[in-house]
Amino acid sequence: MLEIRHLKTLHALREADSLVEAAERLHLTQSALSHQFKELEERLGLPLFVRKTKPIRFTSAGLRLLQLADATLPLLRGAERDIARLAGGTAGRLHMAIECHSCFQWLMPTIDQFRDAWPEVELDLASGFSFAPLPALARGDLDLVVTSDPLDLAGITYVPLFTYEAMLAVANQHPLANKPYIVPQDLLDQTLITYPVERDRLDIFTRFLEPADIEPAAVRTSELTVMMMQLVASGRGVCGMPHWALHEYSSRGYVKGKRLGEKGLFATLYAAVRTDMLDAPYMRDFLLTAKDTSFATLDGVSAVR
């Protein structure tokens, strides 16, 4: 009666909190996912969740199956890893670099879980802020790069991890705090606080300010997110930041997050991998673990459409 796919869809629905988002994560159409739930509910003779509720409200039957999913799916992933080891490919190298200062929030739990599952894989993490990591990946010096700025390089495949919204952090009492959204002209008299990277790697410049031919009054840099938030909260500037990194501070009332443009400014984070390594069992597992961890821990991310 029950199949693994049913547990996976229920788990995805709980994590995504909507049928649309759950379908995207599972690479299904919404109608196909709705049909799957309807079929399962008809088999069981019970509804699993209450329609048209937000957040999703599960019935007693749905909650019981979620308990089963929480117990079963990790065991299934573990068995798949063991089988991959039996088939070979247990040892190898995974040297990676990141081009995203705020990625440590979800990447470190991913790495910890990966180390436990693949102890024989040589794992190393470097910051890609002081060198060009994508050419290093193409040369074979690295095996994976986390980036939001893909380059067309031979032999490199970009695996989308998730889509996120870039926002502007402002102080609670800032004049921009009550605006429904920010337009480029709003930053003409502002100090913009950024991470210390080139402008062509910052979406707030390349996709928001520069197309409007706008330059902020001043630019200030900081390497640490917490220092950037302190500067913003004290009224010494504003800063662009991914929604997931900003949420930790805005949800506690330290600062406010404002949408960039009426429709928002969205970007995709990728794992850049050498194409010849994509089929390595430990690489496939790392990518799956990274996606699972990001959706489970980050606010405001969504599956890539």
Side-chain angles (χ1 to χ4, degrees), residues 251-284:
S251 64
R252 298 177 184 178
Y254 297 156
V255 297
K256 286 188 176 180
K258 309 303 297 182
R259 172 160 280 191
L260 291 168
E262 185 175 4
K263 297 182 179 179
L265 183 64
F266 294 87
T268 298
L269 200 67
Y270 298 90
V273 182
R274 289 200 311 280
T275 305
D276 61 353
M277 286 194 66
L278 278 175
D279 290 332
Y282 62 84
M283 180 64 78
R284 292 201 305 268

Coordinates of all heavy atoms in Angstrom, one line a residue, residues 251-284:
S251 N 14.3 38.4 11.7 CA 13.3 37.7 12.4 C 13.3 38.0 13.9 O 12.4 37.9 14.7 CB 13.4 36.2 12.2 OG 14.6 35.7 12.8
R252 N 14.5 38.5 14.4 CA 14.7 38.9 15.8 C 14.5 40.4 16.0 O 14.6 40.9 17.1 CB 16.1 38.5 16.3 CG 16.3 37.0 16.2 CD 17.7 36.7 16.7 NE 18.0 35.3 16.6 CZ 19.2 34.7 16.8 NH1 20.2 35.5 17.2 NH2 19.4 33.4 16.7
G253 N 14.2 41.1 14.9 CA 13.9 42.5 15.0 C 15.1 43.4 15.1 O 15.0 44.6 15.4
Y254 N 16.3 42.9 14.7 CA 17.5 43.7 14.7 C 17.5 44.7 13.6 O 17.9 45.8 13.7 CB 18.8 42.8 14.6 CG 19.0 41.9 15.8 CD1 19.7 40.7 15.7 CD2 18.4 42.1 17.0 CE1 19.9 39.8 16.7 CE2 18.6 41.3 18.1 CZ 19.3 40.1 18.0 OH 19.5 39.3 19.0
V255 N 17.1 44.2 12.4 CA 17.1 45.0 11.2 C 15.8 44.7 10.4 O 15.1 43.7 10.8 CB 18.3 44.8 10.3 CG1 19.6 45.2 11.0 CG2 18.4 43.3 9.9
K256 N 15.6 45.4 9.3 CA 14.5 45.1 8.4 C 15.0 44.7 7.0 O 16.0 45.2 6.6 CB 13.5 46.2 8.3 CG 12.7 46.5 9.5 CD 11.6 47.5 9.2 CE 10.7 47.7 10.4 NZ 9.6 48.7 10.2
G257 N 14.4 43.7 6.4 CA 14.8 43.3 5.1 C 13.8 43.9 4.1 O 12.6 43.7 4.2
K258 N 14.3 44.5 3.0 CA 13.4 45.1 2.0 C 13.7 44.5 0.7 O 14.8 44.2 0.3 CB 13.7 46.7 1.9 CG 13.6 47.4 3.3 CD 12.3 47.2 4.0 CE 11.1 47.7 3.2 NZ 9.8 47.6 4.0
R259 N 12.6 44.3 -0.1 CA 12.7 43.8 -1.5 C 13.4 44.8 -2.4 O 13.2 46.0 -2.3 CB 11.4 43.4 -2.0 CG 11.3 43.0 -3.4 CD 10.0 42.2 -3.7 NE 10.2 40.8 -3.3 CZ 9.3 39.9 -3.6 NH1 8.2 40.2 -4.3 NH2 9.5 38.6 -3.2
L260 N 14.3 44.2 -3.3 CA 15.0 45.1 -4.3 C 14.2 45.0 -5.6 O 14.2 44.0 -6.3 CB 16.4 44.5 -4.5 CG 17.4 44.7 -3.3 CD1 18.6 43.8 -3.5 CD2 17.7 46.2 -3.1
G261 N 13.5 46.1 -5.8 CA 12.7 46.2 -7.0 C 11.3 45.7 -6.7 O 11.1 44.9 -5.8
E262 N 10.3 46.1 -7.5 CA 8.9 45.7 -7.2 C 8.7 44.2 -7.3 O 7.9 43.6 -6.5 CB 8.0 46.4 -8.3 CG 6.5 46.1 -8.0 CD 5.7 46.9 -9.0 OE1 6.2 47.6 -9.9 OE2 4.4 46.9 -8.8
K263 N 9.4 43.5 -8.2 CA 9.3 42.1 -8.3 C 10.3 41.3 -7.6 O 10.3 40.0 -7.6 CB 9.3 41.7 -9.8 CG 8.1 42.3 -10.6 CD 8.1 41.9 -12.0 CE 6.9 42.5 -12.8 NZ 6.9 42.1 -14.2
G264 N 11.3 41.9 -7.0 CA 12.3 41.2 -6.3 C 13.5 40.9 -7.1 O 13.4 40.9 -8.4
L265 N 14.6 40.6 -6.5 CA 15.9 40.3 -7.2 C 16.2 38.9 -6.8 O 16.6 38.6 -5.7 CB 17.0 41.3 -6.9 CG 18.3 41.1 -7.6 CD1 18.2 41.3 -9.1 CD2 19.4 42.0 -7.0
F266 N 16.1 37.9 -7.7 CA 16.3 36.5 -7.4 C 17.6 36.0 -8.1 O 17.9 36.4 -9.2 CB 15.1 35.7 -7.8 CG 13.9 36.0 -7.0 CD1 13.0 37.0 -7.4 CD2 13.6 35.3 -5.9 CE1 11.9 37.3 -6.6 CE2 12.5 35.5 -5.1 CZ 11.6 36.6 -5.5
A267 N 18.2 35.0 -7.5 CA 19.4 34.4 -8.1 C 19.4 32.9 -7.7 O 18.7 32.5 -6.9 CB 20.7 35.1 -7.5
T268 N 20.3 32.2 -8.4 CA 20.4 30.8 -8.2 C 21.8 30.5 -7.7 O 22.8 31.0 -8.2 CB 20.1 30.0 -9.5 OG1 18.8 30.3 -9.9 CG2 20.3 28.5 -9.3
L269 N 21.9 29.6 -6.7 CA 23.2 29.1 -6.3 C 23.5 27.8 -6.9 O 22.6 26.9 -6.9 CB 23.2 29.0 -4.7 CG 24.6 29.0 -4.1 CD1 25.3 30.3 -4.3 CD2 24.5 28.6 -2.6
Y270 N 24.7 27.6 -7.4 CA 25.1 26.4 -8.1 C 26.3 25.7 -7.4 O 27.1 26.3 -6.7 CB 25.5 26.7 -9.5 CG 24.5 27.3 -10.4 CD1 24.4 28.7 -10.5 CD2 23.7 26.5 -11.2 CE1 23.4 29.3 -11.3 CE2 22.7 27.1 -12.0 CZ 22.6 28.5 -12.1 OH 21.7 29.1 -12.9
A271 N 26.3 24.4 -7.6 CA 27.6 23.6 -7.3 C 28.2 23.4 -8.7 O 27.7 22.7 -9.5 CB 27.3 22.3 -6.6
A272 N 29.4 24.0 -8.9 CA 30.1 23.7 -10.1 C 31.0 22.5 -9.9 O 31.8 22.4 -8.9 CB 31.0 24.9 -10.5
V273 N 30.9 21.5 -10.8 CA 31.6 20.3 -10.7 C 32.2 19.9 -12.0 O 31.6 20.1 -13.1 CB 30.6 19.1 -10.2 CG1 31.4 17.8 -10.0 CG2 29.9 19.5 -9.0
R274 N 33.4 19.3 -12.0 CA 34.0 18.8 -13.2 C 33.1 17.7 -13.7 O 32.7 16.8 -13.0 CB 35.4 18.3 -13.0 CG 36.4 19.5 -12.8 CD 37.8 19.0 -13.1 NE 38.2 17.8 -12.4 CZ 38.5 17.7 -11.2 NH1 38.5 18.8 -10.4 NH2 38.8 16.5 -10.6
T275 N 32.8 17.7 -15.0 CA 31.8 16.8 -15.5 C 32.2 15.3 -15.3 O 31.4 14.4 -15.1 CB 31.6 17.0 -17.0 OG1 31.2 18.4 -17.2 CG2 30.5 16.2 -17.6
D276 N 33.5 15.0 -15.4 CA 33.9 13.7 -15.2 C 33.8 13.1 -13.8 O 34.0 11.9 -13.5 CB 35.4 13.5 -15.7 CG 36.4 14.4 -14.9 OD1 35.9 15.2 -14.0 OD2 37.6 14.2 -15.1
M277 N 33.4 14.0 -12.8 CA 33.3 13.6 -11.5 C 31.8 13.5 -11.0 O 31.5 13.0 -9.9 CB 33.9 14.6 -10.5 CG 35.5 14.5 -10.5 SD 36.1 15.4 -9.1 CE 35.5 14.4 -7.7
L278 N 30.9 13.8 -11.9 CA 29.5 13.8 -11.6 C 29.0 12.5 -11.2 O 28.0 12.4 -10.3 CB 28.6 14.4 -12.7 CG 28.6 15.9 -12.9 CD1 27.8 16.3 -14.1 CD2 27.9 16.5 -11.6
D279 N 29.5 11.4 -11.8 CA 29.0 10.1 -11.5 C 29.7 9.4 -10.3 O 29.3 8.3 -9.9 CB 29.1 9.2 -12.7 CG 28.2 9.6 -13.8 OD1 27.1 10.1 -13.5 OD2 28.5 9.4 -15.0
A280 N 30.6 10.1 -9.7 CA 31.3 9.5 -8.5 C 30.2 9.4 -7.4 O 29.5 10.4 -7.1 CB 32.4 10.3 -8.0
P281 N 30.1 8.2 -6.7 CA 29.0 8.0 -5.7 C 29.1 9.1 -4.6 O 28.0 9.6 -4.2 CB 29.3 6.6 -5.2 CG 29.9 5.9 -6.3 CD 30.8 6.9 -7.0
Y282 N 30.3 9.4 -4.2 CA 30.4 10.4 -3.1 C 30.0 11.8 -3.5 O 29.5 12.6 -2.7 CB 31.7 10.3 -2.4 CG 32.9 10.7 -3.3 CD1 33.3 12.0 -3.5 CD2 33.7 9.7 -3.9 CE1 34.4 12.4 -4.3 CE2 34.8 10.1 -4.7 CZ 35.1 11.4 -4.9 OH 36.2 11.7 -5.6
M283 N 30.3 12.1 -4.8 CA 29.9 13.4 -5.3 C 28.4 13.5 -5.4 O 27.8 14.5 -5.0 CB 30.5 13.7 -6.7 CG 30.2 15.1 -7.3 SD 30.8 16.4 -6.3 CE 32.5 16.4 -6.8
R284 N 27.7 12.5 -5.9 CA 26.3 12.5 -6.0 C 25.6 12.7 -4.6 O 24.7 13.4 -4.4 CB 25.8 11.2 -6.7 CG 26.1 11.1 -8.2 CD 25.2 10.1 -8.8 NE 25.2 8.8 -8.2 CZ 26.0 7.8 -8.5 NH1 26.8 7.9 -9.4 NH2 25.9 6.6 -7.8

